[in-house]
Amino acid sequence: MQREEFIQQLWLDYIHTHPDLGALRLWPLNTPAEYLTLVTLNHGPFAANILAGKLAHMGYRSVGHYAMADKGMLIHLLAPNDNGSWLLLAELQLGTLCKAPREALTGLVAQSHPEDCKGHNLLCRGRPWPMPSWTLYQQLQAAHPLAAWLAVMGPRLHHAGFDCIALDNPLEALDVQLATAGMPSIESQQNGVFPVSSMLQHRFYPAMPQKIAFDNGDEHRLSLGGLALIQKHLDDDHERIAEILLPFHTRCEMA
């Protein structure tokens, strides 16, 4: 798979999952995201070190590897070989979960069909394992919100982040436009996966809740992902936003 095809598949899966985000017309449709946050887990073919190898064949190079111990996450920062979107591959560490939720999520993932565990498109083909029950979802949500998210969504794009300067519109103006479109922001430096550096102005917009049918027939409306807008406090062309996105005090750089 070529990188352009991979990004296209990621984006098509993203807007299919979040039609409200796909319907936004606040900036040109061909505007690339500054970064794409992908969530996976350290299990079998979905482990970040295996996925990173596949991404390297598409022209992405590793420029950072961070352990966020308080979040139970490893984050790989990957840069493309052009000015395209950077990738933040966030890997949930199953070993940080308590025994019961860890075994429940591992058991769910183990039910993946072997054919759904092959190829370069493991991050854009949807959930490869059966849908969890609502009870299991609630148990995982209590243990770790991203464990619950992964159980329902599978390894895939959680949210796209856009640079307001590239959109040629200040964050404050876009924030008003998104609120008018029915997508108010969460005014914090959190995006559902990791905290964001105070060096940046940041807003996260949860996707509108969608009706989700669980394994036991229960239906519930959930917001699973969203959109981020970012703007530098100081205009500096020397670093990409993705390079300064993670707060230094929350990360432990690994060799």
Side-chain angles (χ1 to χ4, degrees):
M1 182 187 295
Q2 299 299 314
R3 183 155 53 85
E4 293 76 12
E5 180 188 358
F6 171 69
I7 293 295
Q8 183 182 45
Q9 287 193 18
L10 276 180
W11 193 255
L12 289 174
D13 179 61
Y14 177 64
I15 62 176
H16 174 74
T17 307
H18 308 297
D20 52 318
L21 300 181
L24 290 174
R25 295 295 182 268
L26 302 183
W27 49 79
L29 292 176
N30 60 352
T31 305
E34 163 67 13
Y35 66 88
L36 301 171
T37 297
L38 303 148
V39 178
T40 189
L41 71 170
N42 63 331
H43 185 87
F46 310 109
N49 61 338
I50 295 176
L51 294 173
K54 296 178 184 294
L55 293 168
H57 289 295
M58 292 185 236
Y60 290 98
R61 59 185 176 85
S62 175
V63 293
H65 183 202
Y66 306 104
M68 303 189 79
D70 60 329
K71 297 288 184 181
M73 307 284 292
L74 292 182
I75 297 180
H76 299 252
L77 180 60
L78 303 166
N81 53 17
D82 58 14
N83 291 322
S85 305
W86 288 45
L87 302 182
L88 281 99
L89 183 58
E91 181 188 53
L92 175 66
Q93 303 300 294
L94 292 174
T96 64
L97 300 176
C98 295
K99 182 179 179 181
R102 180 177 70 247
E103 291 181 348
L105 182 54
T106 303
L108 195 65
V109 173
Q111 296 177 59
S112 302
H113 193 283
E115 290 301 316
D116 292 329
C117 300
K118 299 178 181 178
H120 285 70
N121 60 343
L122 295 180
L123 292 165
C124 47
R125 71 197 317 175
R127 186 189 66 256
W129 47 78
M131 190 70 175
S133 67
W134 173 243
T135 300
L136 176 54
Y137 174 83
Q138 290 178 302
Q139 292 171 348
L140 293 172
Q141 179 71 18
H144 195 303
L146 283 179
W149 189 91
L150 280 162
V152 170
M153 300 293 282
R156 67 183 352 145
L157 177 58
H158 181 277
H159 70 270
F162 287 87
D163 178 6
C164 295
I165 299 301
L167 300 179
D168 199 26
N169 217 345
L171 189 151
E172 290 78 8
L174 289 169
D175 186 64
V176 170
Q177 293 177 42
L178 280 162
T180 302
M183 291 185 61
S185 65
I186 295 176
E187 293 192 20
S188 75
Q189 296 297 104
Q190 300 283 336
N191 58 31
V193 180
F194 49 78
V196 175
S197 171
S198 59
M199 296 171 64
L200 301 167
Q201 289 181 271
H202 170 269
R203 294 285 188 277
F204 183 72
Y205 302 85
M208 294 181 183
Q210 302 290 325
K211 185 182 290 186
I212 306 295
F214 287 84
D215 181 55
N216 53 5
D218 288 346
E219 292 187 345
H220 297 271
R221 288 191 173 274
L222 300 174
S223 177
L224 297 166
L227 173 75
L229 293 180
I230 311 95
Q231 184 173 299
K232 291 181 180 180
H233 286 298
L234 300 174
D235 190 12
D236 179 2
D237 291 332
H238 298 299
E239 289 181 302
R240 290 283 296 263
I241 280 177
E243 296 179 88
I244 57 175
L245 191 63
L246 298 172
F248 285 100
H249 72 276
T250 64
R251 64 192 190 185
C252 174
E253 187 161 1
M254 301 176 67

